[in-house]
Amino acid sequence: MHSQSPSSPPSSLPIASARQLSSQLSTQLTCESSAPFGLYIHVPFCATRCGYCDFNTYTPREAGGANPEGYLDALDVELDLAAQRVNRRADTVFIGGGTPSLLGADGLSRILTTVRNTFGLADGAEVTTESNPESTSPEFFAGLREAGYTRISLGMQSASHEVLQVLERAHTPGRAFAAAREARQAGFEHVNLDMIYATPTETDDDVARTLDRVIEADVDHVSAYSLIVEDGTAMARKVRRGEIPSPQEDVMATRYEMIAQRLAEAGLEWYEVSNWARPGGECQHNLIYWRDGDWWGAGPGAHSHLGMQRFSNVKHPNRYSAVLADGELPISQVEDLTPADRHTELLMLGLRLREGIDYSAVGAGAAGVVQNFVDRGLLHFPQPGCLALTDAGRLLADGIITDILVAEDDTTADREARS
């Protein structure tokens, strides 16, 4: 989800503006659809702020008096109002943050109860919550399992104490792996560990040891992302002052190859450029994103995508609660998408998946560019009519996708100039 700097003031969006924006949501949102539908719920609270984080989250000092109980009350209202606009049961639910585990098993159980009473859950729905290792326990996982959660995603980041210090993470190196075991013992078949690589001061040995611990934990899913230093974060300020070096692209590439090889040897196959899973362990909620599907985002700052529209909520939890107290959806922005927008999203998201995309979706003007990448072993046709990245192409995914889109745009511009 997109975010704002934690120091940004609360939105001053008037209630009337929220009402007007809500009225701009397409009436098509109420239509039934057989395609999978996801529900994302954003929890905006964190005990402390990690140095690299620019998500829409608030520590107690930053929250301006906002608290979990008031947030849960407001969320109940939003989910009720949203369900009246979208006549679709949730195939997937993903609770993200922030730190959802700060709500405890009782708070997260309340959220899922509200989802059942408003949208409803499809049979076999995947229900995930993110959790920080230091705010979990065997009792926490047991409570979530009893409530109906089916999947746990743990913010591990690294098994190196030094790397965790640079990232300003609060948990000890071993806690994430203990939490993964506790989740499995509570009955969770699906457990993810998040990993961040190419952190300044990190070594190849740090990555190797982290991967050893990940494999020992016997989870069925791993997400691994290179560190991005976002403007406005504490880490960006340290880089600017020269206190730590900026992440290096050649290091990112080397570390990615290490991760991909080690996870593949352990039986976790990549299904998206930054995600690996054992068969059946793929995150169904994230697949809705990558397949350019529909989801409603609830909570402060959450983003939604339905049909030909994107829209987002006000960011600060106090403003979020105030708008909902007046009986209005807390919409802060609505964007109508064009067919060209949807086409761009299809390529940008779908080509990151191992399954690829329907080649007929690629504009004819990009045929030469595509063939060049095929000849170089970066793209291939795993089956007739399907275009996908090769293993080697994963490292260059963003550039490949950009070159295809530019070739399509250039051809369109040339055609329009001749007409």
Side-chain angles (χ1 to χ4, degrees):
M1 295 295 128
H2 295 289
S3 58
Q4 69 172 8
S5 167
S7 60
S8 300
S11 169
S12 58
L13 181 74
I15 301 293
S17 297
R19 183 180 301 119
Q20 183 180 17
L21 286 166
S22 180
S23 70
Q24 294 177 20
L25 297 184
S26 172
T27 56
Q28 295 177 353
L29 300 184
T30 60
C31 295
E32 290 277 9
S33 173
S34 59
F37 171 71
L39 185 59
Y40 172 79
I41 297 173
H42 188 72
V43 178
F45 303 110
C46 281
T48 61
R49 180 169 298 281
C50 301
Y52 61 92
C53 177
D54 75 334
F55 294 164
N56 186 48
T57 62
Y58 304 84
T59 65
R61 181 178 60 83
E62 299 163 343
N67 59 73
E69 190 63 30
Y71 156 79
L72 289 169
D73 290 342
L75 182 65
D76 286 346
V77 177
E78 183 186 1
L79 291 173
D80 184 49
L81 292 174
Q84 295 175 36
R85 301 294 298 267
V86 183
N87 187 24
R88 297 168 72 174
R89 291 188 302 173
D91 296 281
T92 66
V93 180
F94 194 105
I95 319 293
T99 309
S101 46
L102 286 180
L103 300 179
D106 288 346
L108 290 169
S109 297
R110 172 177 168 177
I111 290 176
L112 192 52
T113 295
T114 302
V115 170
R116 287 193 180 96
N117 292 338
T118 53
F119 282 88
L121 288 176
D123 292 340
E126 175 192 85
V127 184
T128 304
T129 184
E130 294 181 339
S131 300
N132 277 13
E134 72 275 11
S135 53
T136 64
S137 66
E139 294 76 19
F140 171 81
F141 292 121
L144 293 184
R145 195 73 190 95
E146 183 178 355
Y149 283 80
T150 66
R151 187 172 180 275
I152 298 293
S153 181
L154 291 162
M156 170 199 64
Q157 318 316 354
S158 176
S160 163
H161 176 71
E162 290 76 14
V163 171
L164 291 177
Q165 282 188 315
V166 173
L167 294 172
E168 299 183 43
R169 296 288 293 182
H171 61 86
T172 59
R175 178 56 204 154
F177 308 106
R181 290 191 294 272
E182 291 166 3
R184 296 295 300 273
Q185 290 166 2
F188 283 96
E189 296 181 15
H190 303 301
V191 179
N192 170 67
L193 287 171
D194 275 343
M195 180 177 179
I196 291 178
Y197 61 93
T199 299
T201 76
E202 178 191 74
T203 66
D204 286 351
D205 285 345
D206 289 330
V207 176
R209 286 195 297 270
T210 297
L211 290 169
D212 287 343
R213 298 293 301 275
V214 168
I215 302 308
E216 290 171 5
D218 195 30
V219 296
D220 70 336
H221 193 286
V222 176
S223 299
Y225 302 99
S226 62
L227 177 67
I228 297 176
V229 179
E230 301 284 2
D231 290 341
T233 62
M235 180 170 284
R237 292 188 289 274
K238 289 182 179 180
V239 169
R240 189 168 58 249
R241 293 192 297 262
E243 297 175 18
I244 57 174
S246 178
Q248 301 299 307
E249 288 191 7
D250 58 338
V251 173
M252 292 180 185
T254 299
R255 302 276 160 76
Y256 181 88
E257 290 174 333
M258 288 178 61
I259 293 166
Q261 179 178 346
R262 184 72 177 90
L263 292 179
E265 291 170 352
L268 288 99
E269 295 294 334
W270 78 278
Y271 69 103
E272 191 272 345
V273 168
S274 298
N275 288 269
W276 290 259
R278 300 190 191 280
E282 300 84 357
C283 179
Q284 299 304 308
H285 182 83
N286 286 343
L287 282 169
I288 291 176
Y289 296 158
W290 296 321
R291 289 170 177 163
D292 199 25
D294 290 342
W295 76 90
W296 186 286
H303 287 230
S304 302
H305 176 276
L306 289 117
M308 297 298 289
Q309 286 187 323
R310 278 194 295 252
F311 47 98
S312 57
N313 284 351
V314 297
K315 291 182 175 179
H316 198 280
N318 282 338
R319 194 65 201 144
Y320 169 80
S321 295
V323 175
L324 285 160
D326 201 55
E328 298 295 332
L329 284 169
I331 307 297
S332 67
Q333 184 178 10
V334 176
E335 179 184 3
D336 292 317
L337 302 173
T338 66
D341 292 331
R342 294 300 303 274
H343 173 76
T344 297
E345 290 179 349
L346 172 67
L347 263 63
M348 290 183 68
L349 298 169
L351 268 178
R352 291 181 61 87
L353 288 168
R354 185 173 191 150
E355 68 190 37
I357 61 172
D358 186 339
Y359 182 47
S360 65
V362 179
V369 171
V370 169
Q371 188 59 52
N372 178 50
F373 286 130
V374 170
D375 294 342
R376 292 166 58 189
L378 302 175
L379 289 174
H380 70 140
F381 298 97
Q383 55 190 17
C386 178
L387 180 68
L389 292 169
T390 63
D391 285 351
R394 286 178 292 172
L395 275 172
L396 301 170
D398 290 345
I400 290 169
I401 294 166
T402 297
D403 285 354
I404 292 173
L405 290 169
V406 168
E408 291 181 330
D409 288 345
D410 288 347
T411 303
T412 300
D414 291 343
R415 184 167 56 249
E416 291 176 349
R418 291 193 300 269
S419 62

